[in-house]
């Protein structure tokens, strides 16, 4: 359980991380990299100073310490089109299909069945059906605060 004095700092860290990730995943609007750098530095320092026992993973370090640099190298736009999240999600799907939806008599048949499953899933009618089936996630209570912070990190058009 968090102490009351730590709750505000933890909330700031959570909101800052959410906003940074949303900006990084954007790709159609110019990012104010100076403001993004300032925000991510504040979040990073807050983690290190207030929660010294917390382990900062490599992924979090890259977001907080280097995201603004990579966005600058991408002409000031977010990295939505160069993100690896889609590929990582596909690895999980391939593993699941190989384990549960393909023959296991030989490697060739296993890969062939997996390929056919992936090919079937790429059909527009099936993609549309999957979109309709998926439910919208409930918005966080603090989502308006995150959205306001995200909007402040973009340059005016």
């Amino acid at each position: 359980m968090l102490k009351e004095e730590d709750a505000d700092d933890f909330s700031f860290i959570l909101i800052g991380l959410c906003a940074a990730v949303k900006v990084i995943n954007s790709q159609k609007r110019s990012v104010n990299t100076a403001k993004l750098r300032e925000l991510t530095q504040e979040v990073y320092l807050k983690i290190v100073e207030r929660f010294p026992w917390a382990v900062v993973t490599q992924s979090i370090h890259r977001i907080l310490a280097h995201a603004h640099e990579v966005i600058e190298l991408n002409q000031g736009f977010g990295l939505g089109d160069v993100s690896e999240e889609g590929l990582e999600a596909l690895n999980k799907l391939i593993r699941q299909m190989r384990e549960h939806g393909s023959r296991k008599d030989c490697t060739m048949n296993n890969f062939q069945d997996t390929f056919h499953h992936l090919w079937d899933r790429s059909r527009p009618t099936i993609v549309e059906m999957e979109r309709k089936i998926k439910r919208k996630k409930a918005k966080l209570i603090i989502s308006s605060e995150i959205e306001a912070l995200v909007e402040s990190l973009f340059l005016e058009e």
Side-chain angles (χ1 to χ4, degrees), residues 66-79:
H66 304 291
H68 67 280
E69 297 167 346
V70 179
I71 289 174
E72 284 175 358
L73 292 173
N74 196 35
Q75 286 81 39
F77 289 92
L79 310 174

Side-chain angles (χ1 to χ4, degrees), residues 61-106:
H61 170 76
R62 278 184 287 215
I63 289 169
L64 295 177
H66 304 291
H68 67 280
E69 297 167 346
V70 179
I71 289 174
E72 284 175 358
L73 292 173
N74 196 35
Q75 286 81 39
F77 289 92
L79 310 174
D81 58 344
V82 292
S83 173
E84 293 181 7
E85 289 177 16
L87 293 173
E88 291 171 6
L90 188 60
N91 285 338
K92 182 179 176 182
L93 182 64
I94 290 171
R95 190 176 330 105
Q96 180 184 17
M97 286 179 182
R98 287 192 64 216
E99 291 175 5
H100 303 291
S102 61
R103 294 174 283 177
K104 289 157 191 70
D105 56 346
C106 73

Side-chain angles (χ1 to χ4, degrees), residues 95-142:
R95 190 176 330 105
Q96 180 184 17
M97 286 179 182
R98 287 192 64 216
E99 291 175 5
H100 303 291
S102 61
R103 294 174 283 177
K104 289 157 191 70
D105 56 346
C106 73
T107 305
M108 182 65 175
N109 287 339
N110 187 269
F111 283 128
Q112 195 172 39
D113 291 347
T114 302
F115 173 79
H116 288 133
H117 284 302
L118 289 170
W119 187 259
D120 289 341
R121 286 180 57 101
S122 70
R123 292 185 179 157
T125 53
I126 293 176
V127 170
E128 188 61 34
M129 285 171 43
E130 285 180 345
R131 283 186 188 144
K132 288 179 182 177
I133 291 171
K134 288 183 181 176
R135 296 183 183 105
K136 284 190 172 184
K137 294 178 184 175
K139 286 201 170 194
L140 294 171
I141 297 170
I142 56 175

Side-chain angles (χ1 to χ4, degrees), residues 23-35:
V23 170
I24 292 165
N25 287 334
S26 69
Q27 60 190 56
K28 295 185 179 180
R29 296 173 65 191
S30 284
V31 177
N32 185 336
T33 53
K35 279 184 92 171

